[in-house]
């Protein structure tokens, strides 16, 4: 619904989305030679069933030269923690100044709307992984497009959202280039950089691997600042590259991130940092011939608006990998007391776009968590659970 007054100087639109999920988890048997891990945890049985993943209500519009947006997710807890985007923006120079709560300008998949992501969950290069729990933050951003090909964005924000003490600090930015930009033939290249400096009362830097939705299985890859000692170093520094190419009904997409976590563990009484890597490779194909659309203002792909009478059908696959490269029998940033700390997963998906604003999704996750061995001649331990997830979504 839209309301306009005074020749467009005042506009207001009301929108929303509802995502209803269902999950079926396969639990691995526990190996007594190792600590409980991944789907060996006893609470796994409670994760099966239905849950309302998202129930958004959105107010957006214009007010005398300023744009604004307020969005609340009623499935994410109580207000104000349930607030998602809450900002105002205005043109400044060749770009736009944004003030309030929004997503920091990080990777391509992170900035794609939850209504338009190809899989039900984002990969480990996003707030589902290396930016765990830091998806919407309070601060200031500036973004723009040069020559209709080069996009840029910078931000400086508190490591907190509405309802939390405004402590900690993050700053960073993203640039991207679209050398080919045609319907059915789009090439995207980009990179991003960010530094998160939490303090005792802000959201910590704790990268994870998670699959199976909000109620899914989670594995920590270390927490900055957890190494004991006199140092207060607890930052997370991330550099990431991204690329995507859409040609006809096929879209290929990949991102790679390298992560430095400060002071995650001790070795011989000395504080040590951790180096992580996370990446994914993804491909999708519209069997019914539709083309993925590209949004230059966001630097990310969206989904087709023109679909046939019986809707559009898309099949997709993703390989995802994340590891802490410093985990060993001597160093223990992941707190597993084992020689490795890595998770890889394959996700297979089918999407049926019934209407432009309605979609049905089916995902199958096959994950493998490899924690190596515990020494003393014990064999390597891998945890290989699977999950079937189903979603119906509607937006207006």
């Amino acid at each position: 619904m839209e309301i306009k007054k005074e020749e467009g100087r005042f506009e207001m639109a009301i929108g929303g989305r509802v995502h209803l999920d269902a999950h079926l988890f396969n639990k691995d048997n526990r190996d007594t030679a190792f600590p409980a891990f991944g789907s060996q945890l006893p609470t796994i049985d409670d994760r099966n069933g239905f849950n309302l993943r998202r129930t958004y209500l959105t107010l957006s519009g214009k007010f005398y030269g300023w744009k604004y947006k307020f969005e609340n997710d009623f499935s994410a807890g109580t207000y104000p923690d349930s607030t998602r985007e809450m900002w105002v923006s205005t043109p400044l120079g060749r770009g736009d100044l944004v003030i309030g709560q929004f997503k920091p300008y990080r990777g391509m998949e992170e900035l794609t709307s939850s209504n338009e992501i190809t899989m039900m969950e984002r990969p480990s290069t996003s707030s589902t992984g290396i930016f765990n729990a830091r998806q919407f933050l309070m601060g200031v951003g500036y973004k723009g497009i040069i020559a209709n090909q080069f996009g840029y964005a910078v931000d400086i924000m508190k490591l907190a959202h509405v309802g939390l003490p405004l402590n900690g600090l993050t700053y960073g930015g993203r640039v991207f280039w679209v050398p080919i930009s045609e319907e059915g033939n789009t090439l995207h290249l980009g990179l991003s950089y960010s530094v998160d400096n939490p303090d005792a009362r802000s959201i910590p830097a704790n990268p994870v691997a998670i699959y199976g939705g909000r109620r899914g299985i989670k594995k920590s890859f270390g927490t900055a600042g957890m190494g004991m000692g006199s140092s207060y170093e607890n930052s997370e520094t991330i550099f990431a590259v991204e690329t995507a190419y859409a040609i006809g009904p096929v879209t290929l997409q990949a991102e790679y991130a390298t992560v430095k976590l400060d002071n995650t563990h001790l070795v011989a009484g000395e504080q040590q940092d951790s180096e992580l890597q996370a990446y994914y490779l993804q491909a999708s194909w519209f069997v019914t011939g539709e083309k993925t659309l590209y949004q230059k203002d966001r630097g990310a792909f969206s989904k087709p608006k023109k679909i046939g009478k019986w809707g559009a059908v898309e099949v997709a696959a993703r390989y995802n990998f994340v590891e802490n490269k410093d985990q060993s029998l001597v160093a223990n940033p992941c707190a597993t007391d084992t020689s490795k700390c890595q998770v890889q997963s394959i996700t297979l998906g089918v999407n049926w776009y019934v209407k432009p604003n309605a979609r049905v999704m089916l995902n199958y996750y096959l994950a493998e968590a490899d924690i190596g061995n515990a020494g003393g001649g014990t064999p390597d331990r891998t945890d290989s659970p699977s999950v079937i997830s189903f979603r119906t979504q509607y937006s207006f």
Side-chain angles (χ1 to χ4, degrees):
M1 182 179 72
E2 291 186 314
I3 300 172
K4 295 184 179 182
K5 283 190 174 183
E6 299 185 36
E7 297 180 349
R9 288 191 292 174
F10 174 81
E11 298 180 9
M12 182 177 72
I14 302 174
R17 71 190 69 170
V18 178
H19 295 179
L20 175 64
D21 291 1
H23 305 289
L24 178 62
F25 289 83
N26 167 47
K27 181 179 179 180
D28 267 14
N29 294 322
R30 182 174 177 180
D31 187 335
T32 56
F34 293 86
F37 182 79
S39 68
Q40 302 171 58
L41 298 173
T43 57
I44 189 69
D45 293 330
D46 300 331
R47 303 173 192 264
N48 293 328
F50 289 87
N51 73 291
L52 273 170
R53 176 61 189 274
R54 299 179 181 91
T55 48
Y56 280 23
L57 179 64
T58 305
L59 301 177
S60 61
K62 298 178 181 179
F63 183 80
Y64 294 96
W66 289 79
K67 293 181 181 179
Y68 65 88
K69 186 175 184 179
F70 174 80
E71 195 164 57
N72 191 74
D73 182 3
F74 294 94
S75 296
T78 57
Y79 182 84
D81 291 345
S82 58
T83 305
R84 291 302 179 248
E85 297 194 49
M86 185 175 65
W87 51 261
V88 295
S89 73
T90 187
L92 181 65
R94 293 192 173 186
D96 291 315
L97 176 68
V98 186
I99 305 171
Q101 178 165 297
F102 53 94
K103 289 183 180 182
Y105 304 121
R106 290 166 172 166
M108 184 179 199
E109 188 74 0
E110 174 68 5
L111 295 174
T112 302
S113 167
S114 61
N115 272 334
E116 297 170 334
I117 52 179
T118 302
M119 302 297 190
M120 289 176 58
E121 304 302 328
R122 293 181 172 88
S124 292
T125 55
S126 69
S127 57
T128 304
I130 57 178
F131 301 109
N132 175 38
R134 288 162 285 151
Q135 186 173 37
F136 296 97
L137 302 176
M138 294 284 292
V140 179
Y142 186 75
K143 61 180 181 178
I145 298 286
I146 300 174
N148 207 33
Q149 280 191 326
F150 299 92
Y152 62 90
V154 293
D155 58 69
I156 180 167
M157 313 181 83
K158 289 293 185 179
L159 278 174
H161 52 72
V162 176
L164 291 179
L166 294 178
N167 291 80
L169 183 71
T170 178
Y171 59 87
R174 176 176 182 246
V175 293
F176 61 87
W177 177 36
V178 193
I180 304 174
S181 179
E182 303 170 357
E183 184 174 345
N185 186 23
T186 302
L187 176 63
H188 168 101
L189 302 167
L191 58 88
S192 61
Y193 175 82
S194 66
V195 179
D196 290 4
N197 293 296
D199 70 8
R201 293 197 299 167
S202 62
I203 300 171
N206 171 219
V208 300
I210 185 170
Y211 56 94
R214 185 172 288 162
R215 296 170 61 184
I217 301 166
K218 182 183 293 187
K219 174 69 191 90
S220 170
F221 285 83
T223 301
M226 287 299 289
M228 299 177 65
S230 59
S231 172
Y232 293 97
E233 292 292 331
N234 59 355
S235 66
E236 177 182 27
T237 304
I238 298 177
F239 176 77
V241 294
E242 58 194 61
T243 184
Y245 183 43
I247 179 167
V250 175
T251 302
L252 307 174
Q253 184 171 314
E255 295 184 59
Y256 177 88
T258 179
V259 182
K260 178 179 175 288
L261 282 178
D262 287 345
N263 186 20
T264 56
H265 60 289
L266 299 178
V267 175
E270 297 291 328
Q271 298 177 67
Q272 303 293 326
D273 302 333
S274 285
E275 183 182 350
L276 283 70
Q277 65 173 340
Y279 64 87
Y280 73 90
L281 306 170
Q282 179 176 291
S284 65
W285 171 43
F286 278 97
V287 180
T288 46
E290 285 77 12
K291 300 178 180 65
T292 302
L293 301 181
Y294 184 77
Q295 295 180 315
K296 282 189 179 178
D297 62 329
R298 185 175 293 175
F301 285 103
S302 62
K303 293 306 170 187
K305 305 305 179 191
K306 297 179 181 179
I307 60 177
K309 179 180 179 181
W310 303 105
V313 177
E314 179 185 31
V315 295
R318 174 197 290 157
Y319 174 77
N320 185 80
F321 180 87
V322 58
E323 72 168 338
N324 187 316
K325 298 168 70 174
D326 289 289
Q327 177 72 26
S328 69
L329 292 176
V330 176
N332 189 32
C334 293
T336 57
D337 294 313
T338 55
S339 62
K340 291 182 182 179
C341 183
Q342 62 180 229
V343 173
Q344 55 185 328
S345 62
I346 295 174
T347 308
L348 305 176
V350 178
N351 300 322
W352 177 30
Y353 297 80
V354 185
K355 297 290 184 182
N357 62 337
R359 176 167 60 159
V360 176
M361 308 178 72
L362 180 65
N363 282 185
Y364 174 72
Y365 304 85
L366 180 61
E368 181 178 270
D370 186 355
I371 58 175
N373 62 73
T378 58
D380 282 6
R381 168 63 181 172
T382 59
D383 177 36
S384 302
S386 61
V387 187
I388 298 175
S389 297
F390 175 81
R391 169 178 295 167
T392 58
Q393 74 177 53
Y394 177 79
S395 61
F396 63 94

